[in-house]
Amino acid sequence: MAKTFLPYAYLRWAFLSFQDANISIATHALHYGTAAFWGIRVTVTDEWNALFFRLDDHAKRLSRSAHYLGYEIAPEFIRSRLIEFVEMNKPTTSIYIRPLVYTSDLDISPRLHEIEKDFLIYGIELGDYLSADGVSATISSWVRQSDASFPLRAKISGGYITSALAKSEAVERWFDEALMMNSAGKLSEWSGMNVFLVRDGTIITPGVTEDILEGITRSSVISIARHLGYEVIERSVDKSELFIADEVFLTGTAARITPVKKIEQYILPADRPVFSALKSYMNTIFSREATPFSYWIEEVKF
Ligand code: PMP
């Protein structure tokens, strides 16, 4: 699929053209997955202002992810570089920014100590990641990794092998997306999104100890739902609950909030009052109407 990359990237402590932002084939992280990334969407308004969603939280989470790799990089530093990135690139359409911290040494021993690290940023133009109408889902034969093996609260690059296996398996079975169970047999999340169910008007989502990534969109949706008066329960979810749910939806930065139409052979109801209320409230926040969550949007003028 053709991608439009933004003209400037950041690598080895400097901005340079995307074409010149290259690394060696011997780069340690390429071989061991010893990197951590995050994804941030920026929307562009008619007045050519860029709107970041929860920029501070994204910067904080990337800083924490770097910490797991033994790399201290301050959230303020990340935040400033992300703003400069947008100012330099002057996007004209919705974009997705990908910052990455990685072991940049050309060394062959898998380790995190005494090894050079770097921080890079690049961006692509990105519209809908999944169909806004809804997706079909299979339950993957691949089990979500356990936090006992590596820190699942970070987006550690090496961990995405499981997401890739699950996503490709789903597509090969003619589904759009894959739901993964955790090693205890409870629902965890999708290949790159968090999962929510609605049962009898109550919103349910796997808790943060169910081997999920603590998604920023997940926490935003929980806050909005509670603000709208819904009960939200974070708990273990059984597979069988998926087949009798009134609604199932997914959340993520790239995918935003997307409904699920079908799980395996079970067709979910087409009427989705809770999903619709949440989606429309998210749109209200992005349209910059005053809400208690207006502070989540940060505007950069260029
Ligand atoms: N789970 C996984 C495995 C992810 O990679 C992501 C991000 N793409 C999410 C959940 C959603 O997180 P966020 O809402 O912060 O994008």
Side-chain angles (χ1 to χ4, degrees):
M1 210 194 301
K3 294 262 176 290
T4 306
F5 292 97
L6 297 189
Y8 293 100
Y10 184 83
L11 184 74
R12 297 185 201 99
W13 317 113
F15 283 99
L16 68 176
S17 80
F18 176 78
Q19 274 74 21
D20 293 334
N22 298 312
I23 58 171
S24 164
I25 58 170
T27 303
H28 187 264
L30 177 64
H31 298 260
Y32 297 117
T34 40
F37 64 94
W38 212 261
I40 302 160
R41 250 187 201 276
V42 168
T43 44
V44 178
T45 69
D46 293 344
E47 302 85 41
W48 307 116
N49 293 338
L51 305 182
F52 273 100
F53 184 64
R54 303 191 66 175
L55 175 58
D56 282 342
D57 294 308
H58 279 292
K60 207 184 292 167
R61 286 177 195 218
L62 185 64
S63 168
R64 286 186 188 150
S65 297
H67 180 76
Y68 288 120
L69 299 176
Y71 186 35
E72 300 311 325
I73 177 163
E76 299 71 33
F77 178 84
I78 296 171
R79 186 192 140 80
S80 304
R81 297 298 84 72
L82 290 169
I83 291 175
E84 281 166 20
F85 177 85
V86 167
E87 286 168 346
M88 286 192 79
N89 279 295
K90 304 190 188 333
T92 53
T93 182
S94 183
I95 60 163
Y96 181 81
I97 308 179
R98 172 53 66 83
L100 177 95
V101 287
Y102 67 106
T103 51
S104 50
D105 228 296
L106 313 185
D107 194 275
I108 55 161
S109 105
R111 67 180 193 282
L112 294 170
H113 65 281
E114 291 172 10
I115 190 156
E116 183 191 272
K117 288 149 194 148
D118 185 33
F119 167 53
L120 63 79
I121 310 174
Y122 75 90
I124 53 169
E125 292 185 359
L126 187 69
D128 284 340
Y129 176 76
L130 293 173
S131 161
D133 294 350
V135 295
S136 61
T138 186
I139 296 174
S140 186
S141 68
W142 296 101
V143 169
R144 171 78 173 152
Q145 306 98 332
S146 150
D147 191 72
S149 299
F150 68 89
L152 295 181
R153 282 171 178 77
K155 286 166 75 86
I156 302 289
S157 300
Y160 279 79
I161 180 63
T162 311
S163 297
L165 288 164
K167 174 80 183 191
S168 293
E169 180 190 66
V171 171
E172 279 155 20
R173 290 180 184 169
W174 301 98
F175 290 93
D176 301 314
E177 260 304 330
L179 269 169
M180 288 183 281
M181 310 305 280
N182 63 23
S183 44
K186 302 294 178 185
L187 183 61
S188 181
E189 60 176 0
W190 303 87
S191 65
M193 289 79 63
N194 293 114
V195 60
F196 286 82
L197 288 75
V198 180
R199 294 188 59 194
D200 298 325
T202 298
I203 302 173
I204 303 161
T205 191
V208 293
T209 53
E210 298 296 326
D211 295 327
I212 66 165
L213 181 89
E214 295 176 2
I216 289 181
T217 324
R218 173 186 181 277
S219 83
S220 309
V221 163
I222 292 174
S223 302
I224 293 169
R226 291 191 173 136
H227 171 72
L228 293 178
Y230 292 106
E231 184 184 4
V232 183
I233 307 178
E234 296 180 64
R235 63 158 171 82
S236 289
V237 178
D238 286 327
K239 180 171 93 173
S240 61
E241 296 187 77
L242 289 167
F243 306 135
I244 53 163
D246 303 319
E247 301 179 44
V248 177
F249 54 89
L250 53 87
T251 63
T253 296
R256 299 191 180 102
I257 172 166
T258 304
V260 177
K261 293 198 278 203
K262 173 180 151 179
I263 302 177
E264 300 291 351
Q265 68 274 37
Y266 297 88
I267 310 285
L268 285 147
D271 189 30
R272 307 172 184 123
V274 178
F275 166 81
S276 304
L278 293 169
K279 181 164 175 141
S280 117
Y281 199 90
M282 294 273 270
N283 289 342
T284 308
I285 296 174
F286 278 101
S287 66
R288 314 222 61 201
E289 276 177 48
T291 70
F293 307 106
S294 301
Y295 71 96
W296 283 346
I297 306 277
E298 197 164 326
E299 187 169 333
V300 174
K301 292 187 190 294
F302 53 84

